[in-house]
Amino acid sequence: MSDTGVHSNEIHQHGSETIGNARLAEAYRSSTIRLLSHRQTAIAEVPGFDRLRDTGREIKRHTIENLDFYLNQFADSVERNGAKMHWAATAADVCSIVVDIVKHSTAREVVKAKSMVGEEVELNHALEAAGIRPIETDLGEFIIQLAGERPAHIVAPAIHKTREDVSELFVKHIKSERTVVPEELTAIARRALREMFQKAGVGVSGANFAVAETGTVVTIENEGNIRMCTTVPRIHIALIGIEKIIPRLADLGVFLRLLGRSGTGQKLTTYTSLLTGPRRQGEDGPEEMHVVMVDNGRVKTLADPKMREMLYCIRCGACLNTCPVYRKIGGHAYGWVYSGPIGALVTPEFTSIGEARELPFASSLCGACREVCPVRINIPDLLLHLRADAQEHAPKKSESLLSERFMFRMWAWAMRHPILYRVGSRFARMGQGLLARKGWIRNIPAYPISQWTKERDFPALAPRAFHKRWKKL
Ligand code: SF4
């Protein structure tokens, strides 16, 4: 692992570990299939869902193109509501702002709702280093905090854990009774967490959307823990990536319908909270509210007209569930907090292409991610753009890259010389007789194709060449 905590260039090694672990592979397979099938059912109920996606995309495009205006409008609205605005350019800035607020409050425990920005900036480490105890309250995040891991999925952080795994963690860390009944496991977590909400002086949350015209922070969830984090403690801090802005409250309906259905296949998630400033006379809620707007690489992406579209993402997770690569190698193989097709874009953009050079290649470019994306981000196109970038920034051409390049050059050359191609394929057909079984070759000893057959089978050439069949037809 590098100093920055990004180890995305080890994707091959970590991906192989998931593929070789039958339990993990099955956990990813079954969970992603379930989420995708729920999505399918949920979107089929909405006539004109594709028109809704177009509307969502257009709102995002307009907002991102005019982000400076909407950020200012949001900041003015937040302050008018009595909350305090903070601007954080880097991960270190986010951490120091939050640590300062907590220290100033004298709280020593912080309850946290699920926040990908919080993961991204490693807020828990910063809090712990300052002697403050961060407590994750989202069930999935609570589980991975106990396991000392990072999220394996942007919507379902503990997607890779079975109930047996969760039971083990609870027995070990919170001395609970042993059970694998999901309701009982949830009740154990609830009992452990309820007391924390009452004790903690500060609650930290993320945000799904931030409404510019009203200064409203919108959170959506199924467990109710975000409501507790944002209302029970005396101080609420919301961490928000600058791309989460939407212009008007009227736009929210579009995204609420897109997000729940695309992510978990729900018409709406169980709780939608609209937080507009700290509590007023006669209200419940926090006495103080702080909003931290986070750049941490986003402005660089905004400045690149080719990559800007990436900022339309509403973090629904649908592209992960449908991606044949994510489903095989799992979330941790991507080496940072974001995984799947969107992670393959976000990680090189928010960290550096050098640290995540391999990620844009972790895609078959099949287009399944673009098909399901609720705001129609052209992920394959952006991945291709990053691939070109990765090649330019490669410190030195690796052996496998050079041999791949040599093979493709040879292939292109042979394709331009039909006689040669035919003679070559005839020899290959004769040669494969020794290796092929039932249309597949298990092992080709010659490098570099041996690298392919180390992990998977190679399709044998058809017994009769296409051009011969074509002539006959
Ligand atoms: S890229 Fe699209 S599908 Fe993937 S998480 Fe973002 S919004 Fe969802």
Side-chain angles (χ1 to χ4, degrees):
M1 191 187 285
S2 70
D3 287 341
T4 55
V6 182
H7 50 116
S8 300
N9 290 335
E10 293 156 33
I11 186 168
H12 295 280
Q13 180 198 328
H14 295 303
S16 299
E17 282 162 18
T18 313
I19 293 168
N21 180 330
R23 186 200 61 73
L24 256 187
E26 176 52 24
Y28 277 111
R29 193 196 65 82
S30 57
S31 304
T32 50
I33 287 178
R34 193 180 59 246
L35 286 168
L36 264 188
S37 95
H38 289 171
R39 170 192 174 272
Q40 204 54 38
T41 313
I43 67 169
E45 291 167 3
V46 185
F49 191 73
D50 278 344
R51 276 200 305 280
L52 196 65
R53 292 169 74 196
D54 292 336
T55 308
R57 180 181 170 86
E58 181 48 29
I59 296 170
K60 274 288 181 184
R61 190 202 62 75
H62 167 80
T63 317
I64 295 296
E65 292 299 321
N66 299 283
L67 197 56
D68 50 347
F69 170 81
Y70 287 116
L71 279 171
N72 279 325
Q73 190 187 20
F74 177 72
D76 290 345
S77 309
V78 163
E79 302 218 309
R80 209 175 35 243
N81 296 333
K84 179 144 178 30
M85 269 306 293
H86 304 261
W87 300 91
T90 63
D93 292 344
V94 179
C95 294
S96 94
I97 291 168
V98 176
V99 168
D100 281 354
I101 298 170
V102 180
K103 277 188 167 168
H104 195 70
S105 76
T106 70
R108 282 296 159 262
E109 273 158 348
V110 167
V111 277
K112 288 182 69 226
K114 182 174 172 303
S115 157
M116 289 308 288
V117 173
E119 292 283 349
E120 182 187 315
V121 303
E122 306 211 338
L123 180 60
N124 285 359
H125 291 172
L127 289 168
E128 280 161 358
I132 300 157
R133 183 181 168 210
I135 303 148
E136 296 290 352
T137 63
D138 171 271
L139 181 56
E141 290 279 346
F142 180 62
I143 293 166
I144 61 163
Q145 189 183 28
L146 293 182
E149 294 176 12
R150 280 176 169 164
H153 189 285
I154 58 177
V155 173
I159 195 170
H160 58 305
K161 295 282 184 214
T162 61
R163 357 178 187 167
E164 288 77 14
D165 296 332
V166 177
S167 178
E168 280 306 317
L169 283 168
F170 284 3
V171 170
K172 183 169 168 203
H173 294 281
I174 49 180
K175 315 285 174 239
S176 74
E177 62 275 26
R178 196 174 287 278
T179 172
V180 291
V181 179
E183 291 76 10
E184 291 176 9
L185 289 168
T186 312
I188 291 167
R190 185 183 292 140
R191 277 198 302 277
L193 289 170
R194 187 140 300 243
E195 184 194 338
M196 304 298 177
F197 289 119
Q198 280 153 0
K199 268 170 57 181
V202 178
V204 175
S205 76
N208 293 93
F209 303 100
V211 185
E213 72 171 354
T214 56
T216 305
V217 174
V218 183
T219 62
I220 68 171
E221 57 166 330
N222 283 315
E223 297 171 19
N225 67 303
I226 302 185
R227 283 211 168 158
M228 301 286 278
C229 281
T230 56
T231 54
V232 178
R234 196 178 70 72
I235 297 172
H236 168 216
I237 307 171
L239 309 179
I240 311 177
I242 55 170
E243 79 282 14
K244 292 290 173 75
I245 295 275
I246 56 171
R248 301 166 309 148
L249 211 48
D251 299 323
L252 185 59
V254 173
F255 293 107
L256 291 183
R257 280 188 286 166
L258 287 173
L259 185 50
R261 286 187 157 88
S262 303
T264 50
Q266 292 170 282
K267 288 178 187 160
L268 272 180
T269 43
T270 312
Y271 302 100
T272 302
S273 303
L274 281 71
L275 308 163
T276 310
R279 76 167 179 229
R280 296 174 190 85
Q281 191 85 32
E283 288 180 350
D284 289 335
E287 282 167 31
E288 268 178 48
M289 181 176 177
H290 296 261
V291 174
V292 186
M293 286 311 275
V294 181
D295 165 7
N296 202 32
R298 290 159 174 81
V299 170
K300 188 187 86 182
T301 304
L302 185 67
D304 181 348
K306 185 67 199 171
M307 293 304 295
R308 194 176 292 163
E309 185 183 348
M310 191 191 94
L311 299 174
Y312 301 177
C313 176
I314 58 172
R315 306 276 190 266
C316 71
C319 59
L320 281 68
N321 302 333
T322 200
C323 175
V325 177
Y326 174 87
R327 285 157 65 161
K328 285 284 174 209
I329 66 173
H332 289 150
Y334 289 78
W336 201 44
V337 293
Y338 297 98
S339 52
I342 188 63
L345 298 176
V346 168
T347 306
E349 281 292 295
F350 290 2
T351 62
S352 72
I353 190 72
E355 283 174 296
R357 194 180 317 117
E358 298 293 327
L359 291 194
F361 298 91
S363 167
S364 64
L365 300 180
C366 65
C369 46
R370 183 182 49 205
E371 287 299 312
V372 297
C373 178
V375 284
R376 298 188 189 279
I377 299 175
N378 193 341
I379 299 172
D381 202 38
L382 301 185
L383 286 172
L384 279 175
H385 180 70
L386 281 183
R387 282 185 186 186
D389 219 16
Q391 296 296 38
E392 257 175 48
H393 288 84
K396 68 177 175 63
K397 305 295 175 221
S398 67
E399 200 183 326
S400 64
L401 190 67
L402 288 173
S403 55
E404 203 177 295
R405 187 171 292 177
F406 174 72
M407 272 178 48
F408 278 113
R409 287 216 172 122
M410 291 294 289
W411 177 262
W413 184 69
M415 290 294 278
R416 286 196 302 270
H417 298 82
I419 295 179
L420 197 78
Y421 178 82
R422 277 171 202 178
V423 172
S425 59
R426 188 176 300 158
F427 276 119
R429 217 164 249 112
M430 281 157 55
Q432 74 172 7
L434 299 169
L435 302 168
R437 296 279 173 279
K438 296 184 181 164
W440 292 94
I441 301 173
R442 283 273 156 84
N443 178 26
I444 300 178
Y447 185 82
I449 306 181
S450 57
Q451 296 302 300
W452 175 280
T453 54
K454 225 167 49 177
E455 305 279 354
R456 36 189 140 28
D457 296 346
F458 195 80
L461 292 171
R464 234 168 113 69
F466 175 73
H467 63 263
K468 282 200 176 154
R469 290 174 62 199
W470 182 248
K471 226 185 238 171
K472 198 161 177 215
L473 285 166

